[in-house]
């Protein structure tokens, strides 16, 4: 890292730290969109009292509309193709068979995707919620196993899935680090998050443990856990009068709308994102690559898009890759 990069990181850390201290002291009216929650003034006495969820009855009756249940006229269905390597590049893409498949409207890769800006990464601005600031379908680089590398649109979901299996992608793999031990061995650099260091050492824990008259030194392991929300990661997307309409499964509606607008150079008031019901989130229902890709595909095809990330697809397995 250069001296200039160090200075930029330090300045960003100081600015974020100052903002972190000032925001709690500022009146609500000073914060963009800061309107006091009207519920604050209501003394309803419900703390500690069993309360039924307002949307509970709707969800158990199937009356709560999820993101993949919205319909637009002339809508298309998307299927994503994922990279099976952890690091490298796309050497070649043969989409001819996919494009000839029944019902196919579009096969979009980095070769024909609209030009887009990087997502504003979480923590870089008050409303930035992008998971990363890497290009989405803008070049041939592969940064992680399961990275989306192509999107097929078709008249039905079955046709899109079939065509995606016909799209042939050839990869050139490069050396990658895929274990925590390997990453530690490569060395680490201090980083900042909202003005605070990600690594914060206080004292010498190893030395104190060694000197302790009584100690318990044991390794505990826990299995990996997977959250399985009732609603998958999905969005139904359309471009309307120069603006973007997204029916999404989102836990951060206004921030996500502003972040995805930045990708396409849209003002915040040109993006309308709705998410009245989220069928489980566990912190995962936010801005990911599939919404950006769905919006780009809808723009390129000139038709609305429904894009759903199903369990198998979200594991990073690829259709048609080798």
């Amino acid at each position: 890292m250069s001296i200039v990069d160090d200075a930029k990181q330090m300045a960003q850390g100081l600015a974020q730290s100052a903002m972190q201290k000032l925001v709690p002291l500022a009146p609500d009216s000073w914060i963009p969109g800061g309107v006091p929650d009207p519920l604050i003034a209501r003394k309803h006495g419900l703390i500690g009292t069993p309360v039924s969820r307002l949307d509970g009855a709707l969800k158990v009756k199937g009356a709560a509309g999820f993101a993949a249940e919205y319909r637009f006229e002339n809508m298309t269905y998307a299927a994503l193709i994922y990279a099976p390597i952890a690091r490298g590049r796309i050497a070649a893409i043969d989409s001819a068979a996919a494009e000839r498949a029944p019902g196919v409207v579009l096969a979009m890769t980095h070769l024909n995707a609209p030009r887009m800006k990087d997502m504003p990464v979480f923590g870089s601005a008050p409303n930035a919620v992008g998971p990363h600031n890497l290009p989405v379908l803008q070049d041939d680089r592969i940064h992680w196993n399961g990275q989306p590398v192509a999107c097929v649109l078709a008249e039905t979901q079955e046709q899109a899935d079939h065509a995606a299996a016909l799209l042939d992608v050839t990869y050139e793999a490069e050396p990658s680090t895929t274990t925590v031990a390997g990453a530690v061995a490569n060395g680490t650099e201090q980083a900042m998050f909202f003005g605070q260091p990600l690594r914060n050492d206080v004292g010498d824990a190893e030395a104190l443990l060694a000197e302790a008259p009584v100690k318990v030194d044991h390794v505990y392991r826990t299995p990996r856990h997977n959250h399985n929300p009732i609603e998958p990661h999905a969005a139904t997307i359309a471009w309307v009068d120069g603006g973007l309409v997204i029916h999404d499964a989102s836990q951060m509606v206004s921030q996500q709308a502003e972040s995805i607008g930045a990708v396409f150079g849209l003002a915040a008031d040109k993006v309308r994102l709705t998410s009245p019901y989220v069928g489980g989130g566990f912190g995962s229902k936010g801005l990911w690559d599939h919404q950006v890709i769905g919006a780009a595909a809808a723009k390129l095809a000139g038709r609305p898009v429904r894009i759903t990330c199903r369990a198998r697809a979200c594991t990073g397995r690829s259709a048609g890759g080798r």
Side-chain angles (χ1 to χ4, degrees):
M1 184 177 290
S2 68
I3 296 176
V4 174
D5 290 333
D6 285 337
K8 287 182 179 178
Q9 188 177 63
M10 184 177 296
Q12 184 183 35
L14 291 172
Q16 290 177 338
S17 181
M19 183 66 70
Q20 190 177 43
K21 294 175 182 177
L22 290 173
V23 166
L25 304 176
D28 287 332
S29 58
W30 290 10
I31 308 300
V35 179
D37 189 338
L39 294 179
I40 293 175
R42 290 176 57 183
K43 308 300 180 182
H44 43 61
L46 296 179
I47 294 178
T49 302
V51 180
S52 296
R53 290 178 59 116
L54 294 177
D55 59 357
L58 295 173
K59 285 184 175 179
V60 299
K61 291 190 298 184
F66 289 146
E69 296 176 320
Y70 282 89
R71 295 195 61 84
F72 286 109
E73 291 293 329
N74 203 29
M75 190 168 67
T76 62
Y77 298 79
L80 294 175
I81 295 87
Y82 301 84
I85 63 172
R87 185 169 182 264
R89 61 178 293 272
I90 298 170
I93 297 179
D94 185 355
S95 60
E99 291 169 342
R100 289 195 302 266
V104 169
V105 174
L106 171 72
M108 185 178 75
T109 69
H110 70 279
L111 300 174
N112 62 339
R115 295 299 90 188
M116 296 175 280
K117 300 178 182 178
D118 297 342
M119 286 190 280
V121 70
F122 185 85
S124 62
N127 285 338
V129 292
H132 58 74
N133 58 356
L134 298 171
V136 178
L137 289 190
Q138 300 294 286
D139 57 33
D140 64 358
R141 298 301 305 170
I142 302 299
H143 300 277
W144 72 89
N145 177 285
Q147 176 181 323
V149 297
C151 174
V152 175
L153 299 186
E155 301 293 349
T156 70
Q157 189 64 61
E158 293 76 13
Q159 289 173 334
D161 293 341
H162 171 67
L166 301 176
L167 198 145
D168 191 16
V169 185
T170 304
Y171 301 91
E172 288 182 0
E174 298 174 1
S176 59
T177 301
T178 57
T179 65
V180 174
V184 172
N186 290 339
T188 59
E189 294 181 1
Q190 180 62 278
M192 307 294 288
F193 184 73
F194 279 102
Q196 301 296 322
L198 287 176
R199 181 184 178 113
N200 189 13
D201 291 331
V202 178
D204 189 339
E206 294 296 334
L208 292 174
L209 182 64
E211 296 171 1
V214 178
K215 46 184 163 288
V216 177
D217 190 354
H218 191 73
V219 175
Y220 296 89
R221 291 184 172 88
T222 182
R224 177 177 292 182
H225 296 284
N226 290 316
H227 292 309
N228 293 285
I230 190 173
E231 179 187 19
H233 291 75
T236 306
I237 305 169
W239 290 84
V240 180
D241 297 329
L244 192 55
V245 177
I246 307 173
H247 299 296
D248 199 8
S250 174
Q251 295 174 264
M252 47 194 75
V253 174
S254 59
Q255 297 92 337
Q256 185 174 318
E258 186 169 326
S259 293
I260 198 169
V263 173
F264 293 95
L266 296 174
D269 61 357
K270 286 292 185 180
V271 181
R272 179 172 175 262
L273 192 149
T274 71
S275 182
Y277 308 102
V278 176
F282 312 108
S284 70
K285 294 293 181 62
L287 178 58
W288 302 103
D289 285 23
H290 70 276
Q291 296 105 324
V292 174
I293 293 172
K299 188 171 188 177
L300 189 60
R303 292 177 60 178
V305 168
R306 176 182 293 172
I307 187 165
T308 304
C309 185
R310 286 149 297 155
R312 179 175 173 83
C314 289
T315 65
R317 298 181 184 178
S318 172
R322 68 168 185 258

